[in-house]
Amino acid sequence: MKGLTALPLAVRGAESGLIYGAEQHSANQEVPLWLDLAINAGLGAAGSQLAHFVGPYIAEVIGGTDEEGVYEFIEKTTGLPRVGQTSRRLQRLAEHAAAGLRDPDAPVKWTPVRGGKLAREIAEHRRIQKITGGRKASKSPAVANQRDPIGPKRRRKLGLPEPHD
């Protein structure tokens, strides 16, 4: 009980610090302040472990991060649209820029897609199909992509239409 009664005090302390402009931060920069306060409030070892595993998921739901999704940009070398999926938005776009495929200052169309890699691949596949008019990426002059993200075997299993040549 001691830990549970201490938590409201810690939260009130953090709130008053924010109200009066005091700088509040965690001793470890990788640990968010709310998690540090919860751990220090006496949740114990089991509560601390639980907070470390559950905390990032709660923060994602509350914060609504947009790291997972489908991107589209005009490829610098071909002038054609390139569509891709990632769970590491900034890193992946930086990789394309480093490879010379993307101008770092050019706009990128971003569509958040939740649900994991398969959901992102399906969204990428549908976007490519929309751009190509239902043609295979490798046979279409409308996109820079040379591979469809969902192959023939998975398309059948997922009930996705087969692209034409």
Side-chain angles (χ1 to χ4, degrees):
M1 282 313 273
K2 179 178 150 188
L4 293 176
T5 57
L7 183 59
L9 292 173
V11 172
R12 280 197 300 257
E15 286 177 358
S16 66
L18 292 173
I19 292 169
Y20 296 109
E23 184 178 347
Q24 297 283 326
H25 57 86
S26 174
N28 180 350
Q29 293 183 3
E30 294 182 12
V31 177
L33 177 62
W34 64 268
L35 180 57
D36 199 352
L37 289 171
I39 293 168
N40 292 333
L43 294 177
S48 172
Q49 284 293 335
L50 180 64
H52 279 286
F53 287 113
V54 176
Y57 297 107
I58 294 171
E60 184 176 336
V61 169
I62 292 170
T65 60
D66 286 343
E67 283 296 305
E68 188 177 10
V70 174
Y71 58 85
E72 182 180 336
F73 62 87
I74 301 300
E75 197 174 89
K76 194 163 74 170
T77 55
T78 63
L80 297 172
R82 174 170 289 275
V83 180
Q85 62 82 23
T86 186
S87 62
R88 306 172 301 116
R89 178 183 183 175
L90 297 176
Q91 295 93 330
R92 187 64 180 135
L93 293 173
E95 289 168 2
H96 282 306
L101 295 175
R102 182 179 83 81
D103 179 2
D105 298 325
V108 175
K109 181 180 176 186
W110 177 256
T111 306
V113 177
R114 297 198 185 268
K117 186 176 180 182
L118 180 60
R120 293 191 312 268
E121 287 176 331
I122 291 170
E124 177 189 6
H125 175 77
R126 287 184 174 148
R127 180 63 187 145
I128 290 171
Q129 291 305 295
K130 185 173 182 180
I131 294 170
T132 64
R135 293 184 71 187
K136 292 179 180 177
S138 62
K139 305 287 184 186
S140 174
V143 291
N145 299 63
Q146 288 300 304
R147 292 189 202 107
D148 289 300
I150 307 284
K153 290 180 183 177
R154 289 200 306 159
R155 279 195 293 267
R156 280 190 289 276
K157 286 181 182 177
L158 295 169
L160 294 171
E162 192 68 29
H164 58 84
D165 286 333

